[in-house]
Amino acid sequence: MTQLPSNFSEIGRALREHQKFAILSHVRPDGDALGSQLALALSLKQLGKDVRIWNEDGMLEKYSFLPQAELLSKPPSTPEDFDVAVALDTAIQSRLGTPFAAIRSTKTWINIDHHPSNPRYGDLVYVDPTAPATGQILFELLKAGEFPIDRSIAENLFVAISTDTGSFQYSNTTARTFEIASELVGCGVDVGRVSQQLYENYPRRRVELLRELLRTMRFEGNGKVASFSLSLKTAKELGVLPEDNEGLIDHLRAIQGVIVAVFFEELADGKVRVSMRSKDTAVDVCAICQKFNGGGHTLAAGARVRGTLAEVEQRVLEAICDVVDCHS
Ligand code: AMP
Ligand code: MN
Ligand code: MN
């Protein structure tokens, strides 16, 4: 069910014409996933639509400050029928997780995303790999279709864009991104409050987790590859939540000489979550992760790999060294 990109007006029409919506995003959501879900849902609700906002993980504690965060929930066990189901920021349909099964039927699937590896699933598809965040695409869509953008919607979009651009630092941040940020601030976004909630409000256990991760830090290839890992045992001892490690990989990326940073997290299902970052567009970590059935972007990607922590570390680090010359 792969389609050519549909333009904004077709998607806009589908949003205006229908009544009952499910707004979904990927498992282990980030700020772009949750902010995008709430922004689109709030805009549709202002038009009087009936909207469900579901994520496998529900609302994360870290993002519970988002305007109207309480509207987002885990999916119900009894499936429902919809006119439109929208997948946001979700590279492959299976990453929608349990909410997918809560959609008994829908007339239309809409897929809005910015992952280059997105296979363009769905009936109406808008995938723009040049966009730094799904939130940026949504802003353009809402604006072009003259959909409501009030302060709550603007704050959700701002968080989506701020988190996926590393607070407007990554190379995917364009002049357009700053123009959009400016418009969002014009809609009433409280930049100081939002940034404090995002970047200066971490639970202490997150920093304790960082301390443990740094103890496991290792380097390959003359310091071009840096990695650290988290075992289930350590996660349990520290009482950390899955969301606590979001962004910790940036400590590895920030090291001089490091080209690829990797974070290995042992999961309860016998798999290891691999998170990868690159600082050089010549080293495409999405391509490396695709070898392990993962995906993502050129400079930020991930995969879930079956095996023990030690096995997965070895296989993945070898695959990286095939791309980054670890012997020079
Ligand atoms: P993360 O390292 O979890 O922050 O993910 C980095 C990027 O890779 C995100 O854009 C994700 O959407 C993508 N990604 C992470 N894990 C997977 C996976 N298992 N399959 C496909 N894409 C993934
Ligand atoms: Mn995301
Ligand atoms: Mn995203």
Side-chain angles (χ1 to χ4, degrees), residues 5-6 8 11 32 89 111-118 120 125-138 140 164 172 174 176 180 297:
S6 315
F8 274 177
I11 293 179
D32 189 25
D89 196 45
N111 168 7
I112 301 173
D113 187 26
H114 65 130
H115 294 93
S117 60
N118 189 306
R120 277 77 177 161
V125 181
Y126 195 93
V127 177
D128 178 4
T130 68
T134 298
Q136 177 161 329
I137 301 174
L138 273 187
E140 307 278 23
D164 256 27
N172 56 10
T174 64
R176 183 67 189 142
I180 291 171
H297 314 273

Side-chain angles (χ1 to χ4, degrees), residues 163-233:
T163 51
D164 256 27
T165 56
S167 196
F168 304 95
Q169 290 181 62
Y170 300 156
S171 54
N172 56 10
T173 310
T174 64
R176 183 67 189 142
T177 314
F178 284 106
E179 282 166 10
I180 291 171
S182 164
E183 285 206 45
L184 293 174
V185 174
C187 292
V189 172
D190 184 339
V191 178
R193 184 191 84 94
V194 168
S195 299
Q196 209 169 69
Q197 293 283 350
L198 282 176
Y199 306 113
E200 297 178 343
N201 196 34
Y202 295 121
R204 195 185 297 178
R205 61 174 190 270
R206 183 180 194 267
V207 185
E208 290 164 354
L209 169 62
L210 176 61
R211 179 167 57 193
E212 293 309 311
L213 290 176
L214 290 176
R215 283 190 219 282
T216 73
M217 178 169 63
R218 55 185 272 194
F219 296 91
E220 335 286 318
N222 262 331
K224 283 186 277 198
V225 182
S227 63
F228 51 36
S229 62
L230 174 61
S231 66
L232 276 173
K233 183 171 169 282

Side-chain angles (χ1 to χ4, degrees), residues 11-57:
I11 293 179
R13 210 176 314 128
L15 296 178
R16 287 216 180 257
E17 280 174 1
H18 292 97
Q19 188 55 29
K20 189 166 177 197
F21 292 83
I23 310 294
L24 315 179
S25 76
H26 59 82
V27 298
R28 294 282 295 254
D30 47 30
D32 189 25
L34 295 172
S36 292
Q37 279 187 275
L38 284 169
L40 177 57
L42 291 176
S43 193
L44 292 171
K45 279 176 82 71
Q46 283 202 18
L47 297 175
K49 313 286 185 186
D50 186 6
V51 188
R52 305 281 181 278
I53 320 171
W54 293 333
N55 190 285
E56 171 165 320
D57 298 282

Side-chain angles (χ1 to χ4, degrees), residues 28 60-63 205-206 241-246:
R28 294 282 295 254
L60 306 183
E61 183 190 311
K62 176 175 162 50
Y63 290 105
R205 61 174 190 270
R206 183 180 194 267
L241 301 178
E243 70 208 67
D244 288 334
N245 64 50
E246 191 190 338

Side-chain angles (χ1 to χ4, degrees), residues 233-290:
K233 183 171 169 282
T234 303
K236 200 166 167 222
E237 278 166 8
L238 293 173
V240 292
L241 301 178
E243 70 208 67
D244 288 334
N245 64 50
E246 191 190 338
L248 291 180
I249 192 172
D250 293 339
H251 289 274
L252 297 177
R253 192 211 318 240
I255 300 167
Q256 183 180 47
V258 166
I259 298 173
V260 178
V262 201
F263 173 43
F264 299 97
E265 179 190 359
E266 188 180 21
L267 301 175
D269 63 358
K271 289 187 181 172
V272 175
R273 170 174 170 261
V274 181
S275 195
M276 230 181 265
R277 302 288 183 269
S278 168
K279 278 156 80 177
D280 181 351
T281 47
V283 179
D284 178 355
V285 288
C286 180
I288 299 172
C289 287
Q290 281 180 315

